[in-house]
């Protein structure tokens, strides 16, 4: 393993430099991290796999750009949960310090790619809803299926390229530069660039949804003035209120899950972190996994089309289960009647 600069507060560690970043010192902390990762990761994979199945099992939904973006979000969250849980638990719980620099940066690149693709898919979903409410008459011309797939291809290629830069040479070992206090081998300049990119994505998402909320509020105010329309007015108002509640939930979960990690990353760029803050960062990292678990509930399962598809799947499953339970009884009744005859 290459020898490179490590933070001064980690210089007291002996052996591999990666051991300096294994901050969970007690068995209770390791069990807590492993439990949170396994719980959030399992639910995340199940929920997002269900979303992908519901989208692609219906010809109507898999052709819509909005559901194409949601499917990209679900795929990114599945990859994020699998790669993050495996690498994070192996590193912090099982103290997997035997990885080479290249293997570790490859794992870190996979985590960065999937989480960046998740946030970028959220941005495309926000832009899709922004266009649908700001230019409704031109929406079908602007948001075509072909453009949606091109946007996703550019998105994933960009995220993979940015995430692979440390593996390709932008790391503190190759450049002999200042290393991050939070990630082994990661250059501080690269970390600051990644944080700025993530903040830009979050800022664009917040702006797009804030505009959608503003337009929805305008629509509610307009519909309140149209008392003559009666029931139709109330229906539209209920739709706008539902949209507003969904978007407020989206922004609240997004900010709550990503703010602690980003704040600690920014703080680490300007000041040294003690072991306590690095432990806090390890636990806060699981909030990003929690966000991936909550995404399908907010973005997909609140959709009327996917809700109806989910109900059809459950009703079909119940019918099959009921049929399988009744068939042995019918067979035993038939056999008893034969014996009596």
């Amino acid at each position: 393993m290459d020898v490179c600069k490590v933070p001064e507060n980690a210089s007291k560690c002996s052996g591999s430099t990666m051991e300096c970043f294994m901050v969970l010192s007690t068995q209770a902390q390791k069990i807590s991290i492993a439990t949170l990762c396994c719980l959030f990761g399992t639910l995340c994979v199940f929920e997002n796999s269900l979303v992908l199945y519901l989208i692609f099992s219906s010809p109507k939904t898999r052709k819509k750009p909005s559901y194409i973006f949601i499917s990209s979000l679900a795929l990114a969250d599945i990859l994020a949960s699998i790669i993050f849980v495996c690498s994070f638990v192996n590193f912090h719980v099982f103290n997997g310090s035997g990885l080479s620099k290249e293997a570790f940066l490859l794992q870190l690149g996979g985590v960065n790619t999937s989480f960046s693709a998740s946030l970028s898919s959220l941005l495309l979903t926000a832009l899709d809803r922004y266009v649908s409410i700001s230019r409704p008459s031109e929406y079908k011309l602007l948001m075509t299926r072909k453009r949606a797939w091109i946007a996703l291809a550019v998105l994933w290629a960009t995220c993979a390229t940015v995430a692979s830069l440390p593996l390709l040479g932008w790391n503190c070992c190759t450049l002999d530069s200042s290393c991050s206090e939070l990630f082994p081998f990661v250059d501080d300049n690269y970390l600051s660039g990644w944080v700025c990119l993530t903040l830009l994505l979050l800022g664009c998402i917040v702006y797009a949804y804030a505009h959608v909320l503003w337009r929805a509020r305008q629509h509610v105010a307009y519909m309140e003035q149209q008392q003559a329309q009666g029931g139709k007015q109330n229906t539209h108002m209920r739709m706008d209120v539902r949209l507003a509640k969904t978007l407020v939930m989206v922004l609240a979960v997004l900010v709550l899950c990503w703010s602690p990690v980003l704040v600690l990353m920014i703080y680490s760029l300007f000041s040294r972190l003690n072991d306590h803050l690095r432990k806090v960062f390890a636990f806060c990292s699981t909030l990003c996994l929690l966000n991936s678990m909550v995404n399908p509930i907010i973005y997909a399962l609140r959709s009327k089309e996917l809700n109806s598809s989910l109900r059809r799947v459950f009703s079909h499953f119940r019918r099959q289960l009921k049929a399988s339970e009744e068939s042995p009884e019918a067979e035993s009744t038939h056999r008893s009647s034969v014996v009596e005859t």
Side-chain angles (χ1 to χ4, degrees), residues 64-125:
K64 291 186 176 181
S66 57
Y67 288 106
I68 293 176
F69 296 146
I70 291 177
S71 64
S72 173
L73 172 64
L75 177 61
D77 286 337
I78 290 175
L79 294 176
S81 61
I82 294 174
I83 301 174
F84 177 84
V85 169
C86 293
S87 58
F88 197 78
V89 171
N90 178 61
F91 186 81
H92 283 289
V93 178
F94 298 107
N95 297 333
S97 59
L99 291 175
S100 64
K101 181 190 72 175
E102 290 75 17
F104 178 83
L105 291 178
L106 181 61
Q107 287 186 354
L108 185 63
V111 174
N112 285 345
T113 299
S114 51
F115 276 127
S116 298
S118 178
L119 285 178
S120 300
S121 298
L122 290 179
L123 176 60
L124 288 181
T125 304

Side-chain angles (χ1 to χ4, degrees), residues 317-332:
F317 176 75
R318 283 197 299 266
R319 285 196 301 268
Q320 284 188 333
L321 186 61
K322 186 177 180 180
S324 63
E325 289 177 351
E326 291 178 352
S327 58
E329 296 178 0
E331 184 178 356
S332 62

Side-chain angles (χ1 to χ4, degrees), residues 37-260:
C37 287
C38 293
L39 177 62
F40 292 162
T42 302
L43 291 175
C44 181
V45 171
F46 172 76
E47 292 173 358
N48 286 285
S49 298
L50 179 61
V51 169
L52 287 178
Y53 172 77
L54 294 177
I55 291 176
F56 287 98
S57 63
S58 172
K60 184 178 180 181
T61 55
R62 66 170 175 251
K63 293 181 180 180
K64 291 186 176 181
S66 57
Y67 288 106
I68 293 176
F69 296 146
I70 291 177
S71 64
S72 173
L73 172 64
L75 177 61
D77 286 337
I78 290 175
L79 294 176
S81 61
I82 294 174
I83 301 174
F84 177 84
V85 169
C86 293
S87 58
F88 197 78
V89 171
N90 178 61
F91 186 81
H92 283 289
V93 178
F94 298 107
N95 297 333
S97 59
L99 291 175
S100 64
K101 181 190 72 175
E102 290 75 17
F104 178 83
L105 291 178
L106 181 61
Q107 287 186 354
L108 185 63
V111 174
N112 285 345
T113 299
S114 51
F115 276 127
S116 298
S118 178
L119 285 178
S120 300
S121 298
L122 290 179
L123 176 60
L124 288 181
T125 304
L127 293 177
D128 175 75
R129 296 183 181 181
Y130 175 87
V131 173
S132 68
I133 198 169
S134 61
R135 305 173 71 176
S137 60
E138 304 174 22
Y139 173 76
K140 291 187 177 180
L141 294 176
L142 294 174
M143 286 293 180
T144 62
R145 188 182 179 187
K146 181 179 178 180
R147 288 181 177 178
W149 283 112
I150 292 176
L152 287 181
V154 173
L155 178 156
W156 281 89
T158 303
C159 292
T161 301
V162 172
S164 63
L165 290 178
L167 183 62
L168 296 176
W170 191 355
N171 57 75
C172 57
C173 297
T174 303
L175 300 177
D176 194 26
S177 56
S178 176
C179 289
S180 168
E181 293 191 358
L182 295 174
F183 305 100
F185 314 120
V186 173
D187 181 74
D188 268 341
N189 292 327
Y190 172 81
L191 181 61
S192 62
W194 189 87
V195 169
C196 291
L197 178 61
T198 303
L199 289 175
L200 178 63
L201 291 175
L202 291 175
C204 292
I205 294 171
V206 171
Y207 173 79
Y209 278 142
H211 180 81
V212 172
L213 281 172
W214 175 67
R215 291 298 295 267
R217 184 179 179 183
Q218 277 189 328
H219 188 60
V220 169
Y222 171 77
M223 295 306 294
E224 286 177 345
Q225 298 175 358
Q226 307 298 319
Q227 296 293 334
Q229 296 183 7
K232 185 177 180 182
Q233 171 246 349
N234 293 331
T235 300
H236 282 294
M237 286 183 61
R238 286 195 297 269
M239 290 175 61
D240 287 327
V241 170
R242 178 182 173 85
L243 174 64
K245 288 181 178 179
T246 300
L247 296 184
V248 168
M249 190 186 307
V250 165
L251 295 179
V253 171
L254 193 64
V255 172
L256 287 176
C257 289
W258 280 91
S259 292

Side-chain angles (χ1 to χ4, degrees), residues 283-301:
F283 279 92
C284 288
S285 299
T286 60
L287 291 177
C288 300
L289 192 61
L290 176 64
N291 185 46
S292 296
M293 185 192 75
V294 176
N295 279 338
I297 300 175
I298 297 177
Y299 284 87
L301 299 183

